[in-house]
Amino acid sequence: MPSFDKISPVVVSSRRFLFFILFSALFALVSINRSMTRAVVLNNKNTDLSVGTAETDKAEVDEDYAFDEVDGVATTDVVDKGSDSKKGGNKQIMESLRRRSKRFEKYRPRKYGMALRMKESQMLDDAPMTTHLHSIITGLEHSGTTITGRLVMNAPCLVGATETGFLLADSPQDIGDVYPWYSWNIDDGKDTDKKKMMYLLSPGAYEKMKAARNFSEMYYILRENSHLFNNLNDKYDDGRECEKPTRVVDKTPRYVRPQYLEHILIKTPGVPVVILKKPFEELRIDLPRQAYDEVFANVDKMMKKYPGRIKMLYYEKFMENPEKVMGEVFEFLGLTWKDEYLKMTGLKQKFSVYPEVAKQIGAWEFVPGGHSPEGSTVFH
């Protein structure tokens, strides 16, 4: 009979090999499960990042964080590399992005940086364009776009430069090629006091805007870096201060041209557009009648293709009854019209922080029919 005290070396080796195979398979399954869990955590839109206080106990989690200052309160965006437990929620992060947050890229986490950058991009893409850009005012040059834009800017918590022009670029990276709007809005240190109604962007701010992934993010950076959205005396009707930065009104006549209009509608989903139309005979620009007809034939086409996006403002009706027409425009834009805005009361209050500009605006007043003829303006 064979002895059971001694087992063949071949049998022992087979058992060891089988045990090794089983252990390896188990280890692989555990590793795959952990990797999948990590991937889900880093890519799940609702649970990727968390928010806690600056006093979060660092002994509890090994954390990488990015500081985001909201209304003077330091918060921490935490990635727990131990248990993947989360503190807070995406809603708070979106709120910080939309309010007083500083750009995340200034404080990139040291680890899992790629995953967080992807999440940041996702959050900015998810933030609707209307979070930053309130409305667009356009129309052929000298057709009333300036007065319309300034009347709209009387409403609380809205403002814009005399002209913006950035949406003429194919992408944020190309805004440096948009002439002359790029140079109009840069702070070159010359005649700064005379440019207070422009964005006065530093070269560094422009570079950040050019690095934006999309136009929504570009407007976000514009709001964070221009004095217009952060320094003005902007208040609600009940006296409460507007939350800064305020939102953008982009007034640019060139946008109405057929080669640009649809591209701009696509770049700015959900943003309402007001288009001025002045009779061809009253225009003071060198434009053939055929070109004029092509502009407004295209506008009609866009109004049908993008229903609800465009409000046509007819210059003659505007001059005849500004209170009624602007009331309709304000309703279209989701704003409340006040007849006192014809005296630029809201705009005067906003720019009261700049004495030289306030002095200039102090004489402004709407004059029906006074816009565009040589030697006169819509104000006196």
Side-chain angles (χ1 to χ4, degrees):
M1 290 181 66
S3 173
F4 291 97
D5 295 329
K6 295 182 179 180
I7 301 176
S8 169
V10 174
V11 174
V12 172
S13 297
S14 298
R15 289 179 176 178
R16 287 178 177 173
F17 180 75
L18 181 60
F19 178 80
F20 175 79
I21 293 297
L22 292 173
F23 180 83
S24 298
L26 180 61
F27 180 82
L29 287 173
V30 171
S31 298
I32 291 172
N33 182 62
R34 287 173 62 86
S35 298
M36 290 178 67
T37 301
R38 173 65 66 190
V40 169
V41 168
L42 291 177
N43 289 282
N44 189 306
K45 181 176 180 180
N46 294 320
T47 61
D48 177 46
L49 298 176
S50 59
V51 178
T53 66
E55 290 78 21
T56 300
D57 187 358
K58 294 184 179 180
E60 293 181 0
V61 291
D62 174 18
E63 62 186 22
D64 285 329
Y65 50 85
F67 285 102
D68 177 27
E69 188 173 323
V70 183
D71 295 337
V73 179
T75 61
T76 306
D77 296 330
V78 181
V79 175
D80 178 355
K81 296 188 284 295
S83 63
D84 289 330
S85 61
K86 300 293 168 275
K87 301 178 181 181
N90 201 41
K91 182 178 180 181
Q92 294 167 281
I93 298 170
M94 286 301 298
E95 181 181 357
S96 69
L97 276 171
R98 295 174 182 178
R99 297 175 63 191
R100 293 282 299 167
S101 63
K102 296 181 181 179
R103 299 197 66 205
F104 278 111
E105 65 204 42
K106 293 181 181 179
Y107 310 102
R108 296 285 189 190
R110 294 179 296 279
K111 301 178 183 178
Y112 303 111
M114 181 176 294
L116 288 178
R117 282 194 293 274
M118 289 172 63
K119 181 60 184 178
E120 174 193 339
S121 175
Q122 197 173 39
M123 287 190 296
L124 285 168
D125 289 343
D126 289 345
M129 170 68 79
T130 51
T131 301
H132 314 300
L133 177 60
H134 176 271
S135 51
I136 294 172
I137 312 294
T138 187
L140 291 172
E141 291 80 355
H142 302 290
S143 62
T145 55
T146 298
I147 177 57
T148 303
R150 288 176 176 170
L151 286 171
V152 170
M153 292 176 204
N154 277 274
C157 312
L158 302 174
V159 75
T162 302
E163 287 195 21
T164 300
F166 299 142
L167 289 172
L168 297 171
D170 291 333
S171 70
Q173 291 73 33
D174 302 316
I175 61 174
D177 300 326
V178 178
Y179 180 84
W181 294 271
Y182 184 88
S183 58
W184 282 350
N185 285 292
I186 196 168
D187 184 3
D188 57 6
K190 300 176 182 178
D191 298 323
T192 301
D193 289 339
K194 297 180 181 180
K195 298 179 181 178
K196 292 297 187 183
M197 295 195 73
M198 303 303 287
Y199 293 127
L200 282 177
L201 296 164
S202 69
Y206 258 136
E207 291 307 310
K208 291 178 182 178
M209 290 170 63
K210 291 178 185 178
R213 286 173 283 268
N214 50 57
F215 280 99
S216 180
E217 185 180 354
M218 186 207 72
Y219 278 106
Y220 166 79
I221 299 168
L222 170 63
R223 294 169 63 225
E224 290 291 317
N225 287 274
S226 172
H227 73 108
L228 288 180
F229 309 105
N230 297 279
N231 296 352
L232 301 188
N233 182 25
D234 208 343
K235 298 180 180 181
Y236 290 100
D237 294 336
D238 61 7
R240 289 180 296 120
E241 291 282 343
C242 287
E243 188 177 277
K244 305 294 181 64
T246 52
R247 294 161 74 192
V248 184
V249 176
D250 185 337
K251 172 258 176 178
T252 306
R254 189 67 57 87
Y255 290 166
V256 79
R257 303 285 177 141
Q259 64 267 40
Y260 300 119
L261 184 56
E262 184 167 17
H263 293 293
I264 287 168
L265 290 169
I266 293 171
K267 294 171 188 173
T268 59
V271 175
V273 180
V274 176
I275 297 180
L276 275 291
K277 184 176 183 180
K278 190 175 186 178
F280 175 77
E281 295 74 18
E282 296 184 31
L283 284 176
R284 297 294 192 274
I285 59 174
D286 185 13
L287 183 73
R289 179 62 191 242
Q290 181 180 351
Y292 174 91
D293 292 340
E294 289 175 355
V295 166
F296 290 103
N298 183 64
V299 170
D300 291 340
K301 180 181 176 181
M302 293 300 103
M303 291 180 73
K304 294 174 182 177
K305 189 171 182 179
Y306 300 92
R309 286 287 308 278
I310 298 173
K311 171 73 173 177
M312 186 74 83
L313 196 167
Y314 295 95
Y315 181 83
E316 316 96 293
K317 294 181 179 179
F318 182 23
M319 294 299 113
E320 291 171 2
N321 195 341
E323 295 88 349
K324 180 178 183 296
V325 171
M326 287 310 301
E328 294 171 354
V329 169
F330 269 55
E331 182 179 4
F332 173 72
L333 297 177
L335 303 172
T336 301
W337 168 253
K338 292 183 174 183
D339 290 348
E340 67 184 54
Y341 289 160
L342 293 175
K343 296 184 181 295
M344 302 293 159
T345 54
L347 206 58
K348 291 173 184 177
Q349 173 187 287
K350 294 179 185 187
F351 282 92
S352 62
V353 296
Y354 298 130
E356 290 299 319
V357 180
K359 182 178 179 180
Q360 176 188 357
I361 298 177
W364 287 1
E365 187 174 332
F366 181 79
V367 180
H371 188 54
S372 288
E374 295 182 8
S376 69
T377 67
V378 75
F379 311 109
H380 70 167

